[in-house]
Amino acid sequence: MSNSAEFDISHIRLGDRPLIVCDVDDVVLQFIDPFQLYLKSLGHEFLPRSFRLHGNIVSLADGLALEDQHVSRLILEFFEAQESWQTPIDPVVSTLERLSDDADVLFLTAMPPQFSAHRRRLLDSAGLTFPLLASEQPKGPIVQALHGGRDLPVIFIDDMARNLHSVKEHVADCLLIHLMPDTPVHRFAPAAAEDIARARDWSHAAELIDQHLAAHAIRRANPAA
């Protein structure tokens, strides 16, 4: 599909059917809640004062904010230990299993690729065996390379507005779904563009996807309509 040196999608095989590309952290797997528990186990605490980790993690011993380098190291260490902390968001397993009857499902996770094997094992253990791409590159060009110019529906689901906007810029007619948990820190999250659908939960996201696929099927059956 692409020979880009920045990411490798050569192992991805798509069928002649719709494509659902889905973020992982705080969309498929819980992230912020288990990360907070992980921090407390190390004597730290995350204070949701803005939509960022750096500057908001403090020591429980003295209340002082940890240096940015320390926070960056903690995030990497959490990815290393993710299999012991992260769990699926209900009812993502059953929802994606049903949607996969009619569409290819692919996970696009924003994390250093060296932790992709850890994430692969974690997803597999939860029954989420769909293909996985781990990259810190902008998501728009990746989804564009995956989908190409196919005359098939493509859906992108993420909790970060910047990722949704990236895909919006690169993939025409993509159904964009903003799906994020209701947590104190996510209430600080930047808003997505008004024409991006906002899903309350996975059940609502599935309804939006079903409607999108049905509309495309009608247009394909009645091109003059």
Side-chain angles (χ1 to χ4, degrees), residues 37-54:
L37 294 174
Y38 174 74
L39 291 173
K40 287 188 176 180
S41 75
L42 299 174
H44 310 309
E45 183 178 16
F46 173 61
L47 302 179
R49 299 176 292 200
S50 65
F51 194 60
R52 62 193 306 268
L53 298 176
H54 293 84

mmCIF file with all atom_site columns, all heavy atoms in Angstrom, residues 37-54:
data_model
loop_
_atom_site.group_PDB
_atom_site.id
_atom_site.type_symbol
_atom_site.label_atom_id
_atom_site.label_alt_id
_atom_site.label_comp_id
_atom_site.label_asym_id
_atom_site.label_entity_id
_atom_site.label_seq_id
_atom_site.pdbx_PDB_ins_code
_atom_site.Cartn_x
_atom_site.Cartn_y
_atom_site.Cartn_z
_atom_site.occupancy
_atom_site.B_iso_or_equiv
_atom_site.pdbx_formal_charge
_atom_site.auth_seq_id
_atom_site.auth_comp_id
_atom_site.auth_asym_id
_atom_site.auth_atom_id
_atom_site.pdbx_PDB_model_num
ATOM 1   N N   . LEU A 1 37 ? -3.956 5.078  38.564 1.00 0.00 ? 37 LEU A N   1
ATOM 2   C CA  . LEU A 1 37 ? -3.662 4.039  39.561 1.00 0.00 ? 37 LEU A CA  1
ATOM 3   C C   . LEU A 1 37 ? -2.192 3.657  39.518 1.00 0.00 ? 37 LEU A C   1
ATOM 4   O O   . LEU A 1 37 ? -1.561 3.428  40.567 1.00 0.00 ? 37 LEU A O   1
ATOM 5   C CB  . LEU A 1 37 ? -4.541 2.808  39.301 1.00 0.00 ? 37 LEU A CB  1
ATOM 6   C CG  . LEU A 1 37 ? -6.048 3.003  39.515 1.00 0.00 ? 37 LEU A CG  1
ATOM 7   C CD1 . LEU A 1 37 ? -6.809 1.750  39.081 1.00 0.00 ? 37 LEU A CD1 1
ATOM 8   C CD2 . LEU A 1 37 ? -6.338 3.313  40.989 1.00 0.00 ? 37 LEU A CD2 1
ATOM 9   N N   . TYR A 1 38 ? -1.647 3.584  38.310 1.00 0.00 ? 38 TYR A N   1
ATOM 10  C CA  . TYR A 1 38 ? -0.226 3.274  38.153 1.00 0.00 ? 38 TYR A CA  1
ATOM 11  C C   . TYR A 1 38 ? 0.632  4.337  38.836 1.00 0.00 ? 38 TYR A C   1
ATOM 12  O O   . TYR A 1 38 ? 1.583  4.016  39.562 1.00 0.00 ? 38 TYR A O   1
ATOM 13  C CB  . TYR A 1 38 ? 0.095  3.184  36.665 1.00 0.00 ? 38 TYR A CB  1
ATOM 14  C CG  . TYR A 1 38 ? 1.562  3.001  36.339 1.00 0.00 ? 38 TYR A CG  1
ATOM 15  C CD1 . TYR A 1 38 ? 2.193  1.782  36.535 1.00 0.00 ? 38 TYR A CD1 1
ATOM 16  C CD2 . TYR A 1 38 ? 2.312  4.058  35.809 1.00 0.00 ? 38 TYR A CD2 1
ATOM 17  C CE1 . TYR A 1 38 ? 3.528  1.607  36.218 1.00 0.00 ? 38 TYR A CE1 1
ATOM 18  C CE2 . TYR A 1 38 ? 3.651  3.884  35.492 1.00 0.00 ? 38 TYR A CE2 1
ATOM 19  C CZ  . TYR A 1 38 ? 4.255  2.664  35.697 1.00 0.00 ? 38 TYR A CZ  1
ATOM 20  O OH  . TYR A 1 38 ? 5.584  2.499  35.393 1.00 0.00 ? 38 TYR A OH  1
ATOM 21  N N   . LEU A 1 39 ? 0.291  5.603  38.633 1.00 0.00 ? 39 LEU A N   1
ATOM 22  C CA  . LEU A 1 39 ? 1.045  6.688  39.252 1.00 0.00 ? 39 LEU A CA  1
ATOM 23  C C   . LEU A 1 39 ? 0.983  6.605  40.775 1.00 0.00 ? 39 LEU A C   1
ATOM 24  O O   . LEU A 1 39 ? 2.005  6.790  41.461 1.00 0.00 ? 39 LEU A O   1
ATOM 25  C CB  . LEU A 1 39 ? 0.497  8.034  38.779 1.00 0.00 ? 39 LEU A CB  1
ATOM 26  C CG  . LEU A 1 39 ? 0.733  8.396  37.312 1.00 0.00 ? 39 LEU A CG  1
ATOM 27  C CD1 . LEU A 1 39 ? -0.011 9.680  36.958 1.00 0.00 ? 39 LEU A CD1 1
ATOM 28  C CD2 . LEU A 1 39 ? 2.222  8.548  37.018 1.00 0.00 ? 39 LEU A CD2 1
ATOM 29  N N   . LYS A 1 40 ? -0.186 6.339  41.312 1.00 0.00 ? 40 LYS A N   1
ATOM 30  C CA  . LYS A 1 40 ? -0.323 6.244  42.772 1.00 0.00 ? 40 LYS A CA  1
ATOM 31  C C   . LYS A 1 40 ? 0.511  5.104  43.339 1.00 0.00 ? 40 LYS A C   1
ATOM 32  O O   . LYS A 1 40 ? 1.038  5.211  44.450 1.00 0.00 ? 40 LYS A O   1
ATOM 33  C CB  . LYS A 1 40 ? -1.794 6.091  43.151 1.00 0.00 ? 40 LYS A CB  1
ATOM 34  C CG  . LYS A 1 40 ? -2.590 7.376  42.988 1.00 0.00 ? 40 LYS A CG  1
ATOM 35  C CD  . LYS A 1 40 ? -3.996 7.249  43.542 1.00 0.00 ? 40 LYS A CD  1
ATOM 36  C CE  . LYS A 1 40 ? -4.725 8.587  43.439 1.00 0.00 ? 40 LYS A CE  1
ATOM 37  N NZ  . LYS A 1 40 ? -6.104 8.528  43.965 1.00 0.00 ? 40 LYS A NZ  1
ATOM 38  N N   . SER A 1 41 ? 0.643  4.024  42.569 1.00 0.00 ? 41 SER A N   1
ATOM 39  C CA  . SER A 1 41 ? 1.463  2.899  43.037 1.00 0.00 ? 41 SER A CA  1
ATOM 40  C C   . SER A 1 41 ? 2.930  3.291  43.150 1.00 0.00 ? 41 SER A C   1
ATOM 41  O O   . SER A 1 41 ? 3.705  2.627  43.847 1.00 0.00 ? 41 SER A O   1
ATOM 42  C CB  . SER A 1 41 ? 1.312  1.696  42.095 1.00 0.00 ? 41 SER A CB  1
ATOM 43  O OG  . SER A 1 41 ? 2.035  1.894  40.879 1.00 0.00 ? 41 SER A OG  1
ATOM 44  N N   . LEU A 1 42 ? 3.316  4.385  42.474 1.00 0.00 ? 42 LEU A N   1
ATOM 45  C CA  . LEU A 1 42 ? 4.700  4.861  42.495 1.00 0.00 ? 42 LEU A CA  1
ATOM 46  C C   . LEU A 1 42 ? 4.873  6.099  43.372 1.00 0.00 ? 42 LEU A C   1
ATOM 47  O O   . LEU A 1 42 ? 5.954  6.695  43.408 1.00 0.00 ? 42 LEU A O   1
ATOM 48  C CB  . LEU A 1 42 ? 5.157  5.188  41.071 1.00 0.00 ? 42 LEU A CB  1
ATOM 49  C CG  . LEU A 1 42 ? 5.150  4.021  40.070 1.00 0.00 ? 42 LEU A CG  1
ATOM 50  C CD1 . LEU A 1 42 ? 5.480  4.520  38.672 1.00 0.00 ? 42 LEU A CD1 1
ATOM 51  C CD2 . LEU A 1 42 ? 6.127  2.941  40.500 1.00 0.00 ? 42 LEU A CD2 1
ATOM 52  N N   . GLY A 1 43 ? 3.779  6.488  44.060 1.00 0.00 ? 43 GLY A N   1
ATOM 53  C CA  . GLY A 1 43 ? 3.878  7.647  44.943 1.00 0.00 ? 43 GLY A CA  1
ATOM 54  C C   . GLY A 1 43 ? 3.642  8.973  44.252 1.00 0.00 ? 43 GLY A C   1
ATOM 55  O O   . GLY A 1 43 ? 4.083  10.021 44.741 1.00 0.00 ? 43 GLY A O   1
ATOM 56  N N   . HIS A 1 44 ? 2.929  8.940  43.129 1.00 0.00 ? 44 HIS A N   1
ATOM 57  C CA  . HIS A 1 44 ? 2.628  10.159 42.387 1.00 0.00 ? 44 HIS A CA  1
ATOM 58  C C   . HIS A 1 44 ? 1.115  10.313 42.234 1.00 0.00 ? 44 HIS A C   1
ATOM 59  O O   . HIS A 1 44 ? 0.349  9.384  42.494 1.00 0.00 ? 44 HIS A O   1
ATOM 60  C CB  . HIS A 1 44 ? 3.280  10.142 41.001 1.00 0.00 ? 44 HIS A CB  1
ATOM 61  C CG  . HIS A 1 44 ? 4.728  9.809  41.012 1.00 0.00 ? 44 HIS A CG  1
ATOM 62  N ND1 . HIS A 1 44 ? 5.646  10.450 41.821 1.00 0.00 ? 44 HIS A ND1 1
ATOM 63  C CD2 . HIS A 1 44 ? 5.436  8.867  40.306 1.00 0.00 ? 44 HIS A CD2 1
ATOM 64  C CE1 . HIS A 1 44 ? 6.847  9.948  41.614 1.00 0.00 ? 44 HIS A CE1 1
ATOM 65  N NE2 . HIS A 1 44 ? 6.747  8.982  40.704 1.00 0.00 ? 44 HIS A NE2 1
ATOM 66  N N   . GLU A 1 45 ? 0.696  11.478 41.758 1.00 0.00 ? 45 GLU A N   1
ATOM 67  C CA  . GLU A 1 45 ? -0.726 11.728 41.527 1.00 0.00 ? 45 GLU A CA  1
ATOM 68  C C   . GLU A 1 45 ? -0.901 12.628 40.310 1.00 0.00 ? 45 GLU A C   1
ATOM 69  O O   . GLU A 1 45 ? -0.126 13.578 40.112 1.00 0.00 ? 45 GLU A O   1
ATOM 70  C CB  . GLU A 1 45 ? -1.367 12.390 42.753 1.00 0.00 ? 45 GLU A CB  1
ATOM 71  C CG  . GLU A 1 45 ? -2.871 12.605 42.612 1.00 0.00 ? 45 GLU A CG  1
ATOM 72  C CD  . GLU A 1 45 ? -3.492 13.207 43.850 1.00 0.00 ? 45 GLU A CD  1
ATOM 73  O OE1 . GLU A 1 45 ? -2.733 13.739 44.695 1.00 0.00 ? 45 GLU A OE1 1
ATOM 74  O OE2 . GLU A 1 45 ? -4.733 13.129 43.984 1.00 0.00 ? 45 GLU A OE2 1
ATOM 75  N N   . PHE A 1 46 ? -1.913 12.323 39.520 1.00 0.00 ? 46 PHE A N   1
ATOM 76  C CA  . PHE A 1 46 ? -2.245 13.157 38.375 1.00 0.00 ? 46 PHE A CA  1
ATOM 77  C C   . PHE A 1 46 ? -3.367 14.115 38.767 1.00 0.00 ? 46 PHE A C   1
ATOM 78  O O   . PHE A 1 46 ? -4.439 13.697 39.194 1.00 0.00 ? 46 PHE A O   1
ATOM 79  C CB  . PHE A 1 46 ? -2.681 12.290 37.194 1.00 0.00 ? 46 PHE A CB  1
ATOM 80  C CG  . PHE A 1 46 ? -3.209 13.078 36.030 1.00 0.00 ? 46 PHE A CG  1
ATOM 81  C CD1 . PHE A 1 46 ? -2.392 13.991 35.376 1.00 0.00 ? 46 PHE A CD1 1
ATOM 82  C CD2 . PHE A 1 46 ? -4.508 12.918 35.592 1.00 0.00 ? 46 PHE A CD2 1
ATOM 83  C CE1 . PHE A 1 46 ? -2.877 14.729 34.304 1.00 0.00 ? 46 PHE A CE1 1
ATOM 84  C CE2 . PHE A 1 46 ? -4.999 13.644 34.519 1.00 0.00 ? 46 PHE A CE2 1
ATOM 85  C CZ  . PHE A 1 46 ? -4.175 14.555 33.876 1.00 0.00 ? 46 PHE A CZ  1
ATOM 86  N N   . LEU A 1 47 ? -3.124 15.406 38.618 1.00 0.00 ? 47 LEU A N   1
ATOM 87  C CA  . LEU A 1 47 ? -4.118 16.425 38.918 1.00 0.00 ? 47 LEU A CA  1
ATOM 88  C C   . LEU A 1 47 ? -4.683 16.948 37.597 1.00 0.00 ? 47 LEU A C   1
ATOM 89  O O   . LEU A 1 47 ? -3.957 17.575 36.821 1.00 0.00 ? 47 LEU A O   1
ATOM 90  C CB  . LEU A 1 47 ? -3.497 17.575 39.717 1.00 0.00 ? 47 LEU A CB  1
ATOM 91  C CG  . LEU A 1 47 ? -2.845 17.198 41.053 1.00 0.00 ? 47 LEU A CG  1
ATOM 92  C CD1 . LEU A 1 47 ? -2.254 18.440 41.726 1.00 0.00 ? 47 LEU A CD1 1
ATOM 93  C CD2 . LEU A 1 47 ? -3.857 16.522 41.977 1.00 0.00 ? 47 LEU A CD2 1
ATOM 94  N N   . PRO A 1 48 ? -5.972 16.710 37.314 1.00 0.00 ? 48 PRO A N   1
ATOM 95  C CA  . PRO A 1 48 ? -6.553 17.123 36.029 1.00 0.00 ? 48 PRO A CA  1
ATOM 96  C C   . PRO A 1 48 ? -6.827 18.626 35.975 1.00 0.00 ? 48 PRO A C   1
ATOM 97  O O   . PRO A 1 48 ? -7.950 19.082 36.137 1.00 0.00 ? 48 PRO A O   1
ATOM 98  C CB  . PRO A 1 48 ? -7.850 16.306 35.968 1.00 0.00 ? 48 PRO A CB  1
ATOM 99  C CG  . PRO A 1 48 ? -8.225 16.089 37.397 1.00 0.00 ? 48 PRO A CG  1
ATOM 100 C CD  . PRO A 1 48 ? -6.935 15.970 38.153 1.00 0.00 ? 48 PRO A CD  1
ATOM 101 N N   . ARG A 1 49 ? -5.763 19.384 35.747 1.00 0.00 ? 49 ARG A N   1
ATOM 102 C CA  . ARG A 1 49 ? -5.887 20.841 35.707 1.00 0.00 ? 49 ARG A CA  1
ATOM 103 C C   . ARG A 1 49 ? -5.910 21.373 34.281 1.00 0.00 ? 49 ARG A C   1
ATOM 104 O O   . ARG A 1 49 ? -6.218 22.539 34.048 1.00 0.00 ? 49 ARG A O   1
ATOM 105 C CB  . ARG A 1 49 ? -4.726 21.481 36.484 1.00 0.00 ? 49 ARG A CB  1
ATOM 106 C CG  . ARG A 1 49 ? -4.704 21.071 37.958 1.00 0.00 ? 49 ARG A CG  1
ATOM 107 C CD  . ARG A 1 49 ? -3.508 21.623 38.705 1.00 0.00 ? 49 ARG A CD  1
ATOM 108 N NE  . ARG A 1 49 ? -2.245 21.043 38.268 1.00 0.00 ? 49 ARG A NE  1
ATOM 109 C CZ  . ARG A 1 49 ? -1.127 21.061 38.996 1.00 0.00 ? 49 ARG A CZ  1
ATOM 110 N NH1 . ARG A 1 49 ? -1.135 21.643 40.189 1.00 0.00 ? 49 ARG A NH1 1
ATOM 111 N NH2 . ARG A 1 49 ? -0.003 20.524 38.537 1.00 0.00 ? 49 ARG A NH2 1
ATOM 112 N N   . SER A 1 50 ? -5.565 20.534 33.339 1.00 0.00 ? 50 SER A N   1
ATOM 113 C CA  . SER A 1 50 ? -5.624 20.869 31.918 1.00 0.00 ? 50 SER A CA  1
ATOM 114 C C   . SER A 1 50 ? -5.546 19.558 31.157 1.00 0.00 ? 50 SER A C   1
ATOM 115 O O   . SER A 1 50 ? -5.330 18.493 31.744 1.00 0.00 ? 50 SER A O   1
ATOM 116 C CB  . SER A 1 50 ? -4.471 21.799 31.512 1.00 0.00 ? 50 SER A CB  1
ATOM 117 O OG  . SER A 1 50 ? -3.222 21.136 31.658 1.00 0.00 ? 50 SER A OG  1
ATOM 118 N N   . PHE A 1 51 ? -5.702 19.623 29.829 1.00 0.00 ? 51 PHE A N   1
ATOM 119 C CA  . PHE A 1 51 ? -5.699 18.409 29.030 1.00 0.00 ? 51 PHE A CA  1
ATOM 120 C C   . PHE A 1 51 ? -4.273 18.045 28.610 1.00 0.00 ? 51 PHE A C   1
ATOM 121 O O   . PHE A 1 51 ? -3.926 18.046 27.428 1.00 0.00 ? 51 PHE A O   1
ATOM 122 C CB  . PHE A 1 51 ? -6.596 18.576 27.801 1.00 0.00 ? 51 PHE A CB  1
ATOM 123 C CG  . PHE A 1 51 ? -6.897 17.281 27.110 1.00 0.00 ? 51 PHE A CG  1
ATOM 124 C CD1 . PHE A 1 51 ? -7.547 16.255 27.772 1.00 0.00 ? 51 PHE A CD1 1
ATOM 125 C CD2 . PHE A 1 51 ? -6.546 17.082 25.779 1.00 0.00 ? 51 PHE A CD2 1
ATOM 126 C CE1 . PHE A 1 51 ? -7.831 15.056 27.138 1.00 0.00 ? 51 PHE A CE1 1
ATOM 127 C CE2 . PHE A 1 51 ? -6.825 15.894 25.126 1.00 0.00 ? 51 PHE A CE2 1
ATOM 128 C CZ  . PHE A 1 51 ? -7.470 14.883 25.817 1.00 0.00 ? 51 PHE A CZ  1
ATOM 129 N N   . ARG A 1 52 ? -3.438 17.792 29.602 1.00 0.00 ? 52 ARG A N   1
ATOM 130 C CA  . ARG A 1 52 ? -2.077 17.353 29.337 1.00 0.00 ? 52 ARG A CA  1
ATOM 131 C C   . ARG A 1 52 ? -1.540 16.665 30.579 1.00 0.00 ? 52 ARG A C   1
ATOM 132 O O   . ARG A 1 52 ? -2.012 16.912 31.703 1.00 0.00 ? 52 ARG A O   1
ATOM 133 C CB  . ARG A 1 52 ? -1.176 18.526 28.920 1.00 0.00 ? 52 ARG A CB  1
ATOM 134 C CG  . ARG A 1 52 ? -1.004 19.598 29.962 1.00 0.00 ? 52 ARG A CG  1
ATOM 135 C CD  . ARG A 1 52 ? -0.370 20.853 29.363 1.00 0.00 ? 52 ARG A CD  1
ATOM 136 N NE  . ARG A 1 52 ? 0.870  20.569 28.676 1.00 0.00 ? 52 ARG A NE  1
ATOM 137 C CZ  . ARG A 1 52 ? 2.074  20.635 29.259 1.00 0.00 ? 52 ARG A CZ  1
ATOM 138 N NH1 . ARG A 1 52 ? 2.182  20.951 30.551 1.00 0.00 ? 52 ARG A NH1 1
ATOM 139 N NH2 . ARG A 1 52 ? 3.168  20.389 28.576 1.00 0.00 ? 52 ARG A NH2 1
ATOM 140 N N   . LEU A 1 53 ? -0.570 15.780 30.374 1.00 0.00 ? 53 LEU A N   1
ATOM 141 C CA  . LEU A 1 53 ? 0.044  15.069 31.495 1.00 0.00 ? 53 LEU A CA  1
ATOM 142 C C   . LEU A 1 53 ? 1.212  15.855 32.075 1.00 0.00 ? 53 LEU A C   1
ATOM 143 O O   . LEU A 1 53 ? 1.358  15.962 33.292 1.00 0.00 ? 53 LEU A O   1
ATOM 144 C CB  . LEU A 1 53 ? 0.499  13.675 31.040 1.00 0.00 ? 53 LEU A CB  1
ATOM 145 C CG  . LEU A 1 53 ? -0.620 12.736 30.556 1.00 0.00 ? 53 LEU A CG  1
ATOM 146 C CD1 . LEU A 1 53 ? -0.023 11.433 30.035 1.00 0.00 ? 53 LEU A CD1 1
ATOM 147 C CD2 . LEU A 1 53 ? -1.616 12.465 31.659 1.00 0.00 ? 53 LEU A CD2 1
ATOM 148 N N   . HIS A 1 54 ? 2.044  16.400 31.209 1.00 0.00 ? 54 HIS A N   1
ATOM 149 C CA  . HIS A 1 54 ? 3.206  17.159 31.668 1.00 0.00 ? 54 HIS A CA  1
ATOM 150 C C   . HIS A 1 54 ? 2.746  18.396 32.440 1.00 0.00 ? 54 HIS A C   1
ATOM 151 O O   . HIS A 1 54 ? 1.874  19.140 31.981 1.00 0.00 ? 54 HIS A O   1
ATOM 152 C CB  . HIS A 1 54 ? 4.094  17.555 30.491 1.00 0.00 ? 54 HIS A CB  1
ATOM 153 C CG  . HIS A 1 54 ? 4.748  16.398 29.825 1.00 0.00 ? 54 HIS A CG  1
ATOM 154 N ND1 . HIS A 1 54 ? 4.112  15.643 28.862 1.00 0.00 ? 54 HIS A ND1 1
ATOM 155 C CD2 . HIS A 1 54 ? 5.989  15.847 29.985 1.00 0.00 ? 54 HIS A CD2 1
ATOM 156 C CE1 . HIS A 1 54 ? 4.935  14.683 28.451 1.00 0.00 ? 54 HIS A CE1 1
ATOM 157 N NE2 . HIS A 1 54 ? 6.064  14.787 29.112 1.00 0.00 ? 54 HIS A NE2 1
#
